[in-house]
Amino acid sequence: MGTKSILAYRGGFDGDLSEPSAAEVRAAARRWRDEGGVRLHDRVLLRFGLYQALRLGKPLQFHVGLGDRDCDLHKTDPLYLLDFLRNSGDTPIVLLHCYPYERQAGYLAQAFNNVYVDGGLTVNQLGARSPAFVARLLELAPFRKILYSSDGFGPTELHYLGAALWRNAIGRVLHGFVDAGDWSEADAIRVVDLIAHHNAARIYRLASGDPRGPITVAG
């Protein structure tokens, strides 16, 4: 089970991300209702949602980086989330997609115990260039902080494509490490197992027998 923020599509990460007061939330909710209560852009209510998600204690996903035309790419650098992350406690924060900010995301995963990275959609978008992206994810992010996903939204074929591209990318990168004598084959297998399964199982409690089970969160 987890929650997801698309703050990247609702103004970006730059600006105030502190928790609003109850009075601010009530006033903002009234404004949103009076305006028709349709598409939510109110920064106060978006901030309120983030802190409610933290209180749930379930993994909180952030869309980071590339998206469609509603996303102001220059405002989706995850470094804008620094103050929020400093106040996020132990709740797992998963940074999704990340391109072209995968190095910043990797730094945050290294700097904060509760931050993780998931390349997801980027692998589908980059295609044959995805090995370079996967290699950059491995530069700073701890291996126990990187998650695989296919991000197979839309046509079923995208699930297959995401998986095939990721297998090719991680295989080429790690084979290069082994062939160069920098890693052993056992090292490479251990890291693949972590990224492909064990990290997600741990963070989302997929192998814990949790009776609530995982809730699929769209990427």
Side-chain angles (χ1 to χ4, degrees):
M1 177 182 290
T3 56
K4 181 183 179 184
S5 168
I6 54 169
L7 184 61
Y9 287 97
R10 300 294 187 268
F13 303 145
D14 62 325
D16 183 11
L17 287 179
S18 63
E19 183 172 14
S21 68
E24 289 176 311
V25 173
R26 285 193 295 269
R30 284 194 294 269
R31 286 195 303 271
W32 185 49
R33 179 200 61 195
D34 295 343
E35 293 168 359
V38 186
R39 193 173 177 87
L40 181 60
H41 286 96
D42 191 293
R43 193 77 174 183
V44 171
L45 295 180
L46 292 169
R47 287 157 49 203
F48 171 74
L50 293 180
Y51 286 89
Q52 293 305 305
L54 288 181
R55 289 189 175 91
L56 287 175
K58 305 301 179 185
L60 169 58
Q61 301 176 332
F62 277 92
H63 179 107
V64 171
L66 82 169
D68 60 33
R69 66 186 66 184
D70 287 341
C71 184
D72 293 331
L73 187 61
H74 65 290
K75 296 181 179 180
T76 64
D77 186 330
L79 293 182
Y80 284 124
L81 295 171
L82 272 169
D83 286 340
F84 175 80
L85 295 175
R86 291 177 179 128
N87 294 296
S88 61
D90 296 327
T91 299
I93 306 293
V94 185
L95 306 178
L96 302 179
H97 318 317
C98 299
Y99 185 86
Y101 302 116
E102 60 271 12
R103 285 187 166 115
Q104 289 91 323
Y107 159 72
L108 294 174
Q110 183 273 330
F112 290 88
N113 290 335
N114 63 321
V115 175
Y116 303 82
V117 294
D118 178 338
L121 176 65
T122 296
V123 174
N124 265 331
Q125 295 288 330
L126 295 184
R129 286 289 296 164
S130 55
F133 169 76
V134 169
R136 290 191 296 272
L137 279 183
L138 294 169
E139 287 176 356
L140 278 180
F143 303 137
R144 288 174 56 83
K145 298 291 204 71
I146 304 172
L147 285 73
Y148 155 79
S149 71
S150 68
D151 204 284
F153 67 95
T156 304
E157 288 80 2
L158 288 180
H159 291 278
Y160 170 79
L161 179 63
L165 287 170
W166 185 85
R167 286 197 302 267
N168 176 67
I170 195 73
R172 286 175 60 182
V173 171
L174 297 191
H175 268 299
F177 294 168
V178 173
D179 291 344
D182 296 322
W183 285 29
S184 69
E185 184 175 334
D187 290 333
I189 292 171
R190 178 177 63 86
V191 169
V192 168
D193 286 343
L194 285 171
I195 297 174
H197 172 71
H198 295 308
N199 293 340
R202 184 180 73 256
I203 297 163
Y204 294 107
R205 302 177 64 182
L206 301 181
S208 66
D210 187 341
R212 293 165 293 183
I215 291 179
T216 300
V217 182

